[in-house]
Amino acid sequence: MTEAPGVLETPGAAPVRLRQTPLDAFHRRHHGQMVPFAGWEMPLHYGSIVDEHRAVRTSVGFFDVSHMGILSVRGATAPALLSRRLTANASQIVAGQCRYAFLLDAFGEIIDDLILTRVDEGGGEAPPAFVVVPNAARAAKVRNLLQEHRRPDTTVGWHNDAVAILAVQGPESRALLERSFGWSLRGLSPFHAGYFAWPPTAGETVGRLLDDPFPGPLAKHALVSRTGYTGELGYELFMESATADAIAERLVAGGARPCGLGARDTLRLEKGYLLSGQDFHEDRTPLEAGQDRFVEFDHNFVGREALEKQKAVGVPAHLVGLALTDPTAIPRHGQAVLAGDQPAGTVTSGGFSPTLQHGIALAYVAVPLSSAGTALTVDIRGRRAAALVVPLPFVPSGRPN
Amino acid sequence: MSDPTSVPEDRRYTAEHEWFRADGAEVVVGITDYAQTQLTDVVFVDLPAVGKTAAAHGTLLTLESVKTVSDVYAPVAGTVAAVNDQLKVHPELINQDPYGAGWLFRLQPAAPLGPSEGLSAAEYRAQIAAAP
């Protein structure tokens, strides 16, 4: 048995020494199948990707995402710095709000996607403070670019040694967190965040904002944001690395299933979410990737001119969803897409959908072939498999499982 | 989840993570517990036709898992005598019971199986212990 290149493999050479997250002992205690990923040793699964996938779609599961870059940007000109580098206008982000954004090069090509959250109280004496979470493989590059462009009044911090992140995801995630930690999460809207008391404190059940620079408040709080990568109700918990193991064990005791990178990949693919380094790698713009809604043209950012030019002349290719209804045909990253006998594009993410029980893929195809209902084929190791262009997400919200 | 280092003594192994054991004149073949853990949930098995012949290390079938795709080889030269039809509807048997109900195919070997064909359980265990 030999393994073909897996969809989870990191581009580029493997580093000599892998880093471990603060949850490393937890993963081994729960029989995580550990694999190298973006320079970190991470669990691929704890027994079954499909079971973990179902737990998140039907009840609740959680992921160690402490390998993601954990950056802070703080100072009077922090909003200007972030606005200059990101497709989101950071000066419009109010305290407690999160935003998904792209960091582009001068050609408008995506270097990374990330979530930024304004964590200071706002309006007071303290300067604006943001937590910025890029992908693991891009964290150093994002940090360096922000560092290069900053004014002396603003600092860029990197907190992966001191902070861990757990993504608690699934329809029962809120009930589980409220039950386990005594928090009241009903008031926390999608893409909002607050500091919640940790350890749980009677009388302090709602989230608030603090003017201490991140990660200071984590000594007595967890930063909880209503964000995720699964398309389900879910929360991401930032905590001191020393307490991460105990919090993870509490989640298990409360009925949440530990989930690995494998389920993280199948869950995000069903929702049509992009994977950095795979669906873009400094070669595609947000317009080609169909992410126009995350580009705010109300401010001046690196790459804006190139995007405006592309808007005017049109994109060369568009990211589409492909459904392969033959259950024996599973598309994989890098496979060719054809229209008749003509090359039409390339699969960037592909795999088996546990919810739909057939193969699905994201692929860049020529614009005339990108409308829903177009019949294409994917070359799966020499075999032509029928593929239909379908609207994204593959699995809409509220679909019965 | 079973212990992925489980390597029963009653059969032989290949460096490519297959197990095989003589059963009468035929040889039963499957993949190891370690292999199924690495592969993740198997979702489709492209079983070979009965009567198909293969040289030693010739590709006989493809396993599609949630994570990846991999080929399975003939551990010795021979002809496919039977396949595990159960896997057409229950490919997960490979994950659940790789040494039992998750067997893949039976080979009629081209030459009688010698006692030291392939790797012993101890040799295979040493190989997976050394894996990165």
Side-chain angles (χ1 to χ4, degrees):
Chain A
M1 197 193 87
T2 47
E3 238 177 299
V7 292
L8 292 169
E9 265 162 47
T10 314
V16 178
R17 178 174 293 185
L18 297 170
R19 295 183 70 178
Q20 281 89 32
T21 77
L23 275 305
D24 190 65
F26 173 90
H27 300 319
R28 290 168 201 280
R29 203 155 60 236
H30 291 267
H31 310 291
Q33 168 67 33
M34 304 304 284
V35 296
F37 179 79
W40 295 79
E41 213 174 350
M42 298 299 292
L44 178 61
H45 62 80
Y46 302 81
S48 163
I49 292 175
V50 172
D51 290 350
E52 292 163 22
H53 180 106
R54 291 211 178 100
V56 171
R57 285 274 181 262
T58 60
S59 58
V60 56
F62 68 97
F63 304 82
D64 174 15
V65 291
S66 311
H67 63 304
M68 306 282 285
I70 308 172
L71 310 180
S72 65
V73 180
R74 186 169 192 254
T77 58
L81 166 66
L82 291 167
S83 297
R84 175 75 188 133
R85 281 303 335 190
L86 302 177
T87 57
N89 185 351
S91 54
Q92 300 290 320
I93 301 176
V94 300
Q97 221 177 24
C98 318
R99 201 71 65 89
Y100 176 72
F102 295 102
L103 189 142
L104 308 177
D105 62 20
F107 303 99
E109 295 161 333
I110 306 169
I111 293 173
D112 202 16
D113 61 348
L114 50 79
I115 288 179
L116 68 159
T117 303
R118 183 152 177 183
V119 293
D120 63 292
E121 234 170 338
E125 299 288 294
F130 293 84
V131 173
V132 179
V133 180
N135 287 277
R138 298 309 234 171
K141 183 154 193 171
V142 171
R143 196 268 312 250
N144 293 346
L145 286 171
L146 294 175
Q147 183 74 19
E148 264 172 40
H149 286 78
R150 81 187 169 91
R151 294 259 177 83
D153 66 21
T154 294
T155 54
V156 178
W158 194 348
H159 308 287
N160 280 74
D161 288 332
V163 180
I165 315 178
L166 287 175
V168 186
Q169 304 280 304
E172 288 170 27
S173 57
R174 178 187 295 159
L176 166 78
L177 291 171
E178 290 188 333
R179 202 168 59 231
S180 302
F181 304 128
W183 300 334
S184 173
L185 293 169
R186 211 147 298 267
L188 196 64
S189 308
F191 274 74
H192 281 77
Y195 286 103
F196 288 75
W198 176 265
T201 309
E204 199 189 327
T205 60
V206 296
R208 56 197 180 113
L209 296 164
L210 301 159
D211 276 334
D212 284 357
F214 180 88
L218 298 188
K220 287 181 177 167
H221 299 83
L223 175 66
V224 180
S225 66
R226 190 161 155 194
T227 49
Y229 195 40
T230 63
E232 300 297 332
L233 174 67
Y235 301 87
E236 292 180 305
L237 278 52
F238 296 68
M239 67 209 74
E240 270 194 336
S241 39
T243 61
D245 196 297
I247 290 181
E249 286 296 355
R250 257 210 215 203
L251 294 172
V252 173
R257 187 170 186 130
C259 300
L261 292 176
R264 192 164 157 78
D265 195 46
T266 54
L267 288 158
R268 70 92 194 169
L269 182 55
E270 286 188 344
K271 295 292 176 184
Y273 297 156
L274 307 180
L275 176 57
S276 180
Q278 190 169 294
D279 295 312
F280 54 81
H281 195 59
E282 293 186 48
D283 56 349
R284 295 293 183 183
T285 71
L287 309 183
E288 292 162 38
Q291 306 294 310
D292 311 42
R293 65 193 181 284
F294 301 112
V295 181
E296 294 167 10
F297 284 100
D298 64 344
H299 68 294
N300 190 23
F301 56 91
V302 175
R304 177 182 165 153
E305 214 172 296
L307 293 189
E308 276 175 341
K309 210 170 280 178
Q310 193 175 51
K311 251 182 141 177
V313 302
V315 294
H318 215 267
L319 189 78
V320 297
L322 297 177
L324 286 82
T325 40
D326 172 356
T328 70
I330 299 172
R332 306 287 182 183
H333 173 77
Q335 290 173 345
V337 181
L338 299 119
D341 285 330
Q342 297 302 309
T346 309
V347 169
T348 51
S349 285
F352 176 79
S353 160
T355 303
L356 302 172
Q357 293 285 306
H358 61 68
I360 55 174
L362 295 175
Y364 287 94
V365 301
V367 174
L369 301 169
S370 65
S371 45
T374 307
L376 300 169
T377 58
V378 179
D379 183 341
I380 298 180
R381 294 181 306 284
R383 186 180 139 213
R384 296 280 181 81
L388 203 63
V389 176
V390 295
L392 294 172
F394 298 101
V395 177
S397 308
R399 182 191 191 278
N401 285 282
Chain B
M1 183 188 161
S2 54
D3 174 7
T5 57
S6 140
V7 180
E9 296 287 339
D10 64 350
R11 59 198 78 198
R12 306 288 293 181
Y13 298 86
T14 71
E16 291 81 28
H17 308 287
E18 288 128 4
W19 59 261
F20 61 100
R21 67 177 165 78
D23 185 21
E26 293 173 0
V27 180
V28 191
V29 182
I31 65 165
T32 65
D33 201 8
Y34 176 81
Q36 70 80 14
T37 307
Q38 298 275 313
L39 204 54
T40 75
D41 304 61
V42 177
V43 292
F44 172 65
V45 188
D46 187 15
L47 289 165
V50 171
K52 182 172 179 170
T53 61
H57 309 296
T59 302
L60 265 181
L61 64 84
T62 302
L63 294 177
E64 292 271 10
S65 73
V66 170
K67 183 188 162 233
T68 190
V69 55
S70 50
D71 290 330
V72 179
Y73 304 120
V76 294
T79 306
V80 176
V83 297
N84 184 355
D85 282 320
Q86 282 243 328
L87 299 177
K88 289 177 186 167
V89 263
H90 295 296
E92 69 275 12
L93 287 173
I94 295 170
N95 299 104
Q96 289 164 359
D97 190 8
Y99 295 119
W103 66 277
L104 296 172
F105 53 85
R106 296 173 75 94
L107 273 184
Q108 180 68 52
L113 202 60
S116 59
E117 198 80 55
L119 306 172
S120 70
E123 287 163 339
Y124 178 67
R125 222 174 270 130
Q127 181 192 311
I128 58 176

